[in-house]
Amino acid sequence: MKQPVGLTEEELRDAFAYAIEKTRANIPTFSGGWYPAPASVGNVYPRIPNNEWTSGFWNGMLWLAYLQTKDEAFRTAAENTLADYRKRLDERIATNTHDLGFLYILSAKAQYLITGNEEAKDTVLLAADLLMERYHPKAGIIQAWGNLDDPAQRGRIIIDCLMNLPLLFWATEITEDQLYRLAALSHLDRTRETIIREDDTTFHTFYFDTKSGKPLRGTTHQGYSDGSCWARGQAWGIYGLALAYGYTGDPGCLTDAKRLANYFLDHLPEDGVCYWDLIFTQGSEERDSSAATIAVQGLHLLASHLDDDSDRQRYAHQADLILSSLVRGYTTRTVPESNGILLHAVYHKPNGIGVDECNIWGDYFYMEALGMKLHSAMTFW
Ligand code: GLY
């Protein structure tokens, strides 16, 4: 990576202000039970009900905008969704997923952290209970998708789940019930043993036999091939392991996060924004700016955990370079009709969904990255 250079404080403030104003402009569209779809269509997010794994990113954006501006419009818009999130749990609306962490950390948990609302806290804990229902004790893993008896999904984990484990770690902190933490620790260990490959790449998904607990095989779902390295999966891994270190203090998490980070950084094109799969380092395949934003946050958190000055500076510097590339070359400033923030993300290339579009988690992590650069406290994980 050569081209980008770091951002000035003025550029950071300007980029954050742009993202906040985009978020403000979207409030009328995404309120009253409506949320942005996971990916835009023609760079415009359609609106959908609260039935996807991604609704929480919209809440997270509202809360980041509120923290920055203290404008009640953002707070009210976010608070108005709590009943939706509670209903989703009560009525089990698309809750057969491990993504309860993404959903409830950035919505109800953020609300509780910022406002102290007890109903929000209870909602987070209910979500943690539901996530625990997905735990297969013999294998010691949390199943990613689908019903627990679905033969196509039974015993399948995915690397993305590292980002959902903070829901369980936090539930133990709040309730002092160790079961949440023990499940998270077991899932973390099984993921590190199976999903991380010897060459420091990662499988997207891995199957276990839930009766014997035996690890079976790694496959991809959104990557180029079973043996390639899906860029967003690697980025989820970097950030998820850095977060896990914060909750566990296990130095192995840092070692693994560094392995994944080094591979990621060694497979970037010149401007530092990864292709959708790290098998590509040049050419006309699409970039995944959303993976880049997640990596920025993972690299910064990893850097903050390190004692060694040179490693700390290297990861933080690389994260800054990627962020500067995103700010200068990937935003919707060039596409004024867009209601998104960050262009050129890929949701699911093999299925042709959200390819070269805005992705709502890309917008969220971009805001999180800008917020963290300006005020180190802007995180809900
Ligand atoms: N967690 C789903 C994705 O990254 O597409």
Side-chain angles (χ1 to χ4, degrees):
M1 196 198 315
K2 305 192 264 233
Q3 222 168 324
V5 290
L7 296 164
T8 63
E9 174 152 351
E10 196 186 339
E11 282 178 296
L12 277 172
R13 289 195 182 282
D14 182 53
F16 203 22
Y18 176 77
I20 287 170
E21 288 317 307
K22 277 291 197 189
T23 305
R24 185 196 302 282
N26 277 335
I27 291 176
T29 310
F30 304 125
S31 56
W34 296 105
Y35 296 81
S40 63
V41 178
N43 293 315
V44 176
Y45 292 110
R47 61 185 199 174
I48 60 167
N50 191 350
N51 61 9
E52 266 287 358
W53 67 279
T54 48
S55 315
F57 296 113
W58 169 239
N59 286 69
M61 290 162 70
L62 291 170
W63 285 121
L64 291 176
Y66 173 69
L67 286 177
Q68 177 68 5
T69 61
K70 294 293 182 300
D71 183 332
E72 292 294 321
F74 295 114
R75 176 176 171 153
T76 305
E79 285 182 329
N80 283 346
T81 66
L82 183 61
D84 265 2
Y85 282 90
R86 188 64 174 242
K87 178 168 181 263
R88 187 163 172 175
L89 292 176
D90 291 345
E91 297 180 13
R92 301 285 198 270
I93 300 167
T95 52
N96 58 353
T97 169
H98 68 131
D99 288 318
L100 295 159
F102 284 121
L103 284 166
Y104 286 86
I105 288 169
L106 299 178
S107 60
K109 182 182 168 194
Q111 181 169 347
Y112 173 67
L113 294 177
I114 294 167
T115 70
N117 180 311
E118 287 290 319
E119 198 189 331
K121 181 179 84 178
D122 293 346
T123 304
V124 187
L125 296 177
L126 285 174
D129 287 339
L130 207 51
L131 186 55
M132 287 295 283
E133 289 181 17
R134 306 188 65 74
Y135 184 68
H136 288 288
K138 190 75 189 177
I141 53 113
I142 295 161
Q143 183 175 318
W145 298 314
N147 295 333
L148 297 187
D149 56 0
D150 175 351
Q153 299 299 346
R154 187 171 172 83
R156 188 183 206 182
I157 66 170
I158 72 172
I159 190 163
D160 322 28
C161 189
L162 293 176
M163 297 297 292
N164 292 317
L165 299 184
L167 181 66
L168 300 181
F169 286 126
W170 194 71
T172 289
E173 286 182 4
I174 296 296
T175 63
E176 296 182 10
D177 179 342
Q178 295 303 316
L179 286 180
Y180 303 104
R181 183 178 171 85
L182 290 173
L185 288 173
S186 175
H187 183 92
L188 174 64
D189 287 348
R190 296 289 87 78
T191 302
R192 288 174 52 207
E193 289 158 10
T194 56
I195 274 202
I196 302 176
R197 297 182 285 221
E198 279 194 2
D199 64 356
D200 304 339
T201 64
T202 47
F203 286 116
H204 181 192
T205 91
F206 201 95
Y207 283 94
F208 288 77
D209 181 328
T210 54
K211 290 212 176 75
S212 67
K214 203 173 144 216
L216 296 175
R217 67 187 182 285
T219 64
T220 197
H221 180 65
Q222 282 155 268
Y224 176 75
S225 67
D226 290 345
S228 73
C229 186
W230 179 48
R232 197 157 63 252
Q234 193 85 354
W236 289 137
I238 299 166
Y239 200 1
L241 287 163
L243 285 165
Y245 177 76
Y247 280 103
T248 65
D250 178 349
C253 291
L254 286 188
T255 309
D256 285 347
K258 283 164 76 172
R259 291 172 57 202
L260 269 54
N262 293 343
Y263 188 91
F264 186 91
L265 292 169
D266 285 346
H267 290 79
L268 297 181
E270 278 214 345
D271 74 353
V273 177
C274 55
Y275 287 88
W276 65 277
D277 193 297
L278 299 181
I279 201 169
F280 306 112
T281 53
Q282 57 183 356
S284 59
E285 287 289 330
E286 294 81 8
R287 307 298 181 94
D288 182 5
S289 61
S290 76
T293 61
I294 297 158
V296 166
Q297 284 302 81
L299 290 167
H300 271 305
L301 187 61
L302 171 61
S304 75
H305 289 316
L306 297 176
D307 293 329
D308 180 285
D309 273 354
S310 63
D311 269 358
R312 200 173 57 231
Q313 282 165 18
R314 184 165 68 88
Y315 291 124
H317 181 62
Q318 296 297 327
D320 285 346
L321 295 186
I322 298 171
L323 184 60
S324 71
S325 236
L326 293 170
V327 167
R328 292 182 184 142
Y330 284 78
T331 72
T332 54
R333 285 182 200 260
T334 53
V335 187
E337 67 276 18
S338 175
N339 61 0
I341 297 170
L342 210 52
L343 299 167
H344 306 311
V346 170
Y347 183 8
H348 195 317
K349 175 81 192 243
N351 283 2
I353 304 168
V355 177
D356 198 21
E357 291 285 350
C358 308
N359 283 346
I360 196 65
W361 56 90
D363 289 357
Y364 169 76
F365 285 106
Y366 178 72
M367 284 183 76
E368 192 189 272
L370 295 169
M372 286 290 283
K373 284 296 292 177
L374 290 165
H375 314 278
S376 55
M378 278 197 181
T379 178
F380 308 125
W381 301 98

